[in-house]
Amino acid sequence: MTSPTDIGAALQQDGDAGGTTEPFGLGSSPLRSDALPKALGIYPYAADLWAEGLLWGAVLRSPHPHARIRGIDTSAALALPGVHAVVTAADLPAGPDGVPDGAPSGPIVADRPVLAAGVVRHHGEPVAAVAADHPDTARLAVGLIAVDYEPLDAVTDPEQSFTAPSLHPDGNLFRHLPLRTGDPEAAGEVVVEGLYQVGRQDPAPLGAEAGLAVPRPDGGVELHLSSTDPHRDRDRTAACLGLEPDRVRLVVTGVPGATADREDLSFQVTLALLALRTGRPVKMTLTREESFHTHPSRHPALLRYRHHADAEGRLVKVEAQILLDGGAYADVSAEVLAAATAFSVGPYNCPNVFVDAWAVRTNNPPAGRMRGEGALQACFAYESQLDQLAARVGIDPVEIRRRNVMATGDPLPTGQAVTCPAPVSALLEAVAAEPLPALPVDDPDAEWLLPGGPGGAGDPAAVRRGIGYALGMVHMLGAEGEDEVATATVRVSGDHATVICAAVDAGQGFATLARQIVQSVLGVSEVYIAPADSDQSVAGPSARGRHTWVSGGAIERAALMVRHQLLQPIAANFGMSAELLQISDGKITSYDGVLGMPVAEALEGKELWATAQCRPHPTEPLDEAGQGDAFVSIAFCAMRAVVDVDIELGAVRVVEVTVAQEVGRALNPRQIEDRIEAGVAQGVGLALLEELRTEGGLLANPSLTGYRLPTALDTPEIRVAALLEERDVVAPFGAKAVSAVPAVTAPAAVAAAVRAATGLPVGRLPIRPEDAVTG
């Protein structure tokens, strides 16, 4: 008998195997092939890698948020027995003027050095790195590197960034995006204003960053990393090292959770540089504290809003100022700002919208891409405004939303018509119609459900229940003219198929979906997903739900081409068109029932393959008035949160979150519900617990004891009231991404519920105990 460990090992050997006796194909919910090995703790990650002659890398990081580097002395580190190399910015290719500049790079603007050259701009910025024969030796050597710093004044308040001295040759402003539509003189009978703050949420991945670099005989390097975009990371790594892209290969290892860019580029370039310098494999595994310093976090935001409405609560005009703290380097701040601006009104109709939005540079840690970036910050603000408006008009929170929701065909404030399905009203009605959970006082055995639990310091008489509603929206795929494309190859040999596609499964279950696509098109139950690496054709990043659409679309097209190759000769033998044959339940049948042949029989002795691309329709950048068709498609969600609040202690317990989401088409219903639950949990974390704090630019809580994540006891009952299936005709399969919009909507819904329970304005996330105390 095969042991569970043997099964898990078999599933992970060289890739992702997919033979199954379960119902398969699109619309079914097969067990993910990585579920068992991950549950057993035997799934291979980068931290598990090994190579003959392995050295260990470690990085020296700046203790200052802003300082000039006057000199670096590495002699003591190099003299330590077991140390094989120490590298600094001087070991990277020099800049255009011949002076070392740290080989800056970035996804949009090349402003972030691999290793600091002359100036450090945030706490924890990499300054030097070491390779040694033992990890303890490497870390000891890092401590022996002497850096002469001249501390400089740090700019940590984004509002001060406008007038502060320039922190970088590119200046302090990443982007200013004005949005203007309608009549600036328009005014409503009812006006409400608010100031809102969103803190710095960290991805806090289950596994810290790790990787292995192996030098190649041709002078290149092979990197084994948990990358979410192997081609981008390869190309940027090669550019920073002064190599041709074909001399760098990036092999994707198991990704231990990724809701943002998985790694800062400096990590992988430094790893590669050490391997090239020593001529030996080098491995790095970061500590949890280093991990907090390495990857980007969510943009902290300050949002000022003024809503105008008529006497019945219908929106007349929205005015807003949005300020995003991008931290020390540009990363994707311009892209995040576009989402925050375009979705500044939410899924509501308003004829007059005037927004000014800025993303600025500070000496805080860099911010980047994280599930629902930009849209989340705006959602908290505009939903808070609607609650305030409902109270002023004298109607309930559901009714104020009902009177303003958009529908398919309505315009965004950017002027773009929402041509995709937008059943926002139906989503709202679905959550509003669900029964409410029972009160704890109705069950004498449920005292532990009260905030603080049984025997806690609080008085049960001080507990108040609140109900809050929120509607959220996110864009899918890239925006503002970004070229989205993916390529995939499907190969069928005998009774099994192989998918070759560089789309990385970063935890979203794409490998399972890819298998289901091939099963549906070809009727082959055993489908193997080849491991992703940069030698394959480009598939792009695992972000914004793009793999379901772009990579899934490429796989479907390649599979359909193989299907035609299979059916064409069979149809010719029977004197009919291939379009009159269908594949279902593993059989090829004709329209008249005369032909019935198992797919396995038809494939016997054959090897068929095809390669295809998928590229969605183009978009365009927003213009100087914030106008333009910037997005491919949009996903929507409605949510109701129920909370219990101890108004004396400020303790909050989220009792239940009810979700209604439009998914286009439910390709894997169980996986969709799993992703919704994960998004809600992440949103609840931001609402009540998660904040990566800085004090004078220094990270104050870079640990999993200081940075509080929601546990199973903090995660509420999550009820999926509806998965509306209204297919998006321009999307492959008609499906929409599902992961981001619950994370966007949940913080606003929880805040609304706390506001309802306490009567307090609740203007910041996360909500602190003092924000929920009424007396």
Side-chain angles (χ1 to χ4, degrees):
M1 178 179 287
T2 305
S3 70
T5 301
D6 294 334
I7 294 173
L11 286 171
Q12 287 308 310
Q13 184 176 3
D14 297 328
D16 199 354
T20 178
T21 58
E22 295 182 286
F24 61 79
L26 296 175
S28 65
S29 297
L31 180 68
R32 287 176 51 157
S33 61
D34 60 355
L36 182 59
K38 284 182 175 178
L40 293 172
I42 59 174
Y43 187 84
Y45 295 107
D48 303 313
L49 298 176
W50 194 264
E52 189 67 29
L54 186 71
L55 298 176
W56 293 82
V59 175
L60 175 69
R61 300 178 184 277
S62 168
H64 304 285
H66 195 200
R68 183 171 290 108
I69 299 174
R70 293 186 290 205
I72 303 177
D73 185 353
T74 63
S75 58
L78 284 167
L80 186 69
V83 171
H84 290 256
V86 179
V87 295
T88 66
D91 297 288
L92 291 161
D97 58 0
V99 177
D101 61 359
S105 183
I108 298 175
V109 178
D111 69 341
R112 185 173 186 173
V114 172
L115 296 169
V119 177
V120 293
R121 296 184 176 88
H122 70 90
H123 182 212
E125 182 165 6
V127 175
V130 171
D133 55 14
H134 192 279
D136 291 343
T137 304
R139 295 188 186 282
L140 181 60
V142 161
L144 294 175
I145 299 173
V147 182
D148 182 10
Y149 292 106
E150 177 189 349
L152 302 173
D153 291 337
V155 178
T156 59
D157 182 347
E159 291 188 283
Q160 295 178 355
S161 180
F162 294 99
T163 56
S166 182
L167 303 175
H168 188 278
D170 291 346
N172 293 350
L173 180 64
F174 295 134
R175 186 179 190 181
H176 171 222
L177 182 57
L179 190 155
R180 308 283 188 265
T181 184
D183 179 7
E185 302 302 320
E189 297 174 65
V190 181
V191 179
V192 296
E193 299 185 27
L195 175 64
Y196 306 98
Q197 293 176 280
V198 178
R200 186 185 306 278
Q201 186 181 26
D202 193 88
L206 183 63
E209 288 76 1
L212 173 69
V214 182
R216 302 196 327 190
D218 65 355
V221 64
E222 183 168 291
L223 288 161
H224 297 258
L225 296 163
S226 52
S227 168
T228 58
D229 188 353
H231 292 90
R232 179 204 63 173
D233 289 349
R234 176 202 64 185
D235 293 347
R236 290 169 59 192
T237 298
C240 290
L241 294 172
L243 299 174
E244 292 298 317
D246 61 3
R247 292 176 65 189
V248 177
R249 182 180 182 225
L250 199 150
V251 179
V252 179
T253 61
V255 180
T259 57
D261 289 340
R262 176 59 204 174
E263 280 140 1
D264 165 38
L265 186 70
S266 67
F267 172 84
Q268 57 212 48
V269 177
T270 301
L271 188 62
L273 180 61
L274 290 171
L276 292 171
R277 176 57 61 91
T278 61
R280 290 171 60 175
V282 179
K283 178 178 178 178
M284 259 200 271
T285 56
L286 301 189
T287 65
R288 179 57 61 178
E289 181 175 349
E290 289 178 308
S291 179
F292 275 105
H293 284 293
T294 297
H295 53 244
S297 52
R298 190 180 300 283
H299 286 75
L302 184 66
L303 309 99
R304 293 182 173 91
Y305 268 76
R306 180 184 295 125
H307 275 54
H308 297 247
D310 64 20
E312 295 180 341
R314 291 183 177 84
L315 293 177
V316 173
K317 183 170 71 172
V318 172
E319 300 170 283
Q321 294 178 329
I322 300 172
L323 178 59
L324 300 183
D325 180 357
Y329 297 108
D331 206 270
V332 293
S333 289
E335 178 184 308
V336 176
L337 192 73
T341 305
F343 302 146
S344 56
V345 179
Y348 303 105
N349 287 311
C350 184
N352 308 291
V353 180
F354 296 87
V355 179
D356 275 292
W358 302 269
V360 297
R361 190 190 308 271
T362 65
N363 292 122
N364 291 320
R369 185 175 288 121
M370 187 174 173
R371 189 180 276 165
E373 58 270 13
L376 181 148
Q377 292 91 329
C379 182
F380 170 56
Y382 65 67
E383 288 298 292
S384 299
Q385 284 287 103
L386 281 190
D387 281 346
Q388 190 181 167
L389 189 61
R392 287 283 301 276
V393 174
I395 58 178
D396 68 58
V398 173
E399 183 58 30
I400 193 75
R401 289 163 172 82
R402 188 179 286 133
R403 294 180 185 183
N404 289 288
V405 291
M406 67 166 47
T408 302
D410 288 336
L412 294 173
T414 58
Q416 178 175 351
V418 179
T419 56
C420 66
V424 188
S425 180
L427 296 174
L428 177 62
E429 299 305 330
V431 295
E434 286 293 304
L436 291 166
L439 292 166
V441 294
D442 296 333
D443 183 356
D445 297 325
E447 184 185 355
W448 66 276
L449 293 174
L450 292 168
D459 180 358
V463 175
R464 303 288 184 270
R465 172 153 290 188
I467 302 167
Y469 293 86
L471 301 177
M473 61 193 299
V474 297
H475 72 283
M476 295 176 289
L477 313 183
E480 292 195 278
E482 185 174 341
D483 183 27
E484 291 283 12
V485 63
T487 304
T489 297
V490 174
R491 187 185 303 274
V492 180
S493 179
D495 62 351
H496 67 276
T498 299
V499 176
I500 302 171
C501 182
V504 176
D505 190 332
Q508 78 275 39
F510 180 73
T512 302
L513 180 60
R515 182 177 310 110
Q516 291 178 264
I517 293 169
V518 175
Q519 289 170 340
S520 286
V521 175
L522 296 175
V524 178
S525 63
E526 186 174 339
V527 182
Y528 173 85
I529 311 299
D533 66 53
S534 61
D535 283 351
Q536 299 166 0
S537 299
V538 173
S542 299
R544 302 176 300 272
R546 60 179 306 283
H547 281 324
T548 297
W549 185 312
V550 186
S551 300
I555 292 169
E556 182 195 34
R557 292 179 184 185
L560 286 170
M561 294 165 68
V562 172
R563 176 191 173 106
H564 185 77
Q565 295 173 30
L566 173 64
L567 297 183
Q568 184 63 39
I570 297 173
N573 287 339
F574 284 84
M576 64 176 67
S577 168
E579 284 71 27
L580 298 178
L581 300 180
Q582 65 177 3
I583 297 177
S584 178
D585 298 325
K587 287 186 177 181
I588 301 171
T589 57
S590 61
Y591 74 102
D592 55 9
V594 173
L595 173 64
M597 177 189 297
V599 171
E601 180 182 329
L603 285 169
E604 189 172 352
K606 296 181 179 179
E607 183 166 329
L608 308 173
W609 68 274
T611 297
Q613 277 192 345
C614 179
R615 176 178 270 118
H617 64 81
T619 59
E620 62 188 21
L622 296 174
D623 64 18
E624 64 278 1
Q627 302 297 294
D629 290 351
F631 307 109
V632 176
S633 189
I634 300 171
F636 302 91
C637 174
M639 203 169 287
R640 184 188 69 193
V642 179
V643 304
D644 286 339
V645 182
D646 186 321
I647 60 173
E648 292 180 345
L649 298 179
V652 178
R653 174 177 173 264
V654 184
V655 177
E656 181 185 87
V657 172
T658 303
V659 185
Q661 190 163 326
E662 55 99 19
V663 298
R665 179 184 173 192
L667 304 180
N668 184 318
R670 179 166 61 186
Q671 202 157 268
I672 286 174
E673 294 199 12
D674 289 345
R675 302 306 293 158
I676 288 173
E677 290 180 1
V680 170
Q682 188 171 46
V684 169
L686 174 59
L688 298 177
L689 298 169
E690 297 185 48
E691 184 175 18
L692 190 60
R693 302 189 311 274
T694 57
E695 296 175 359
L698 304 179
L699 285 184
N701 57 332
S703 70
L704 292 185
T705 54
Y707 184 86
R708 298 186 300 156
L709 289 165
T711 67
L713 293 178
D714 300 303
T715 304
E717 182 75 21
I718 300 170
R719 180 192 304 177
V720 178
L723 295 178
L724 298 189
E725 296 189 61
E726 186 176 339
R727 298 192 182 189
D728 188 341
V729 296
V730 300
F733 331 109
K736 290 190 176 184
V738 298
S739 298
V741 69
V744 164
T745 314
V750 172
V754 173
R755 192 178 296 118
T758 63
L760 298 172
V762 187
R764 65 180 173 183
L765 297 176
I767 302 166
R768 300 171 189 172
E770 57 266 34
D771 299 333
V773 174
T774 62

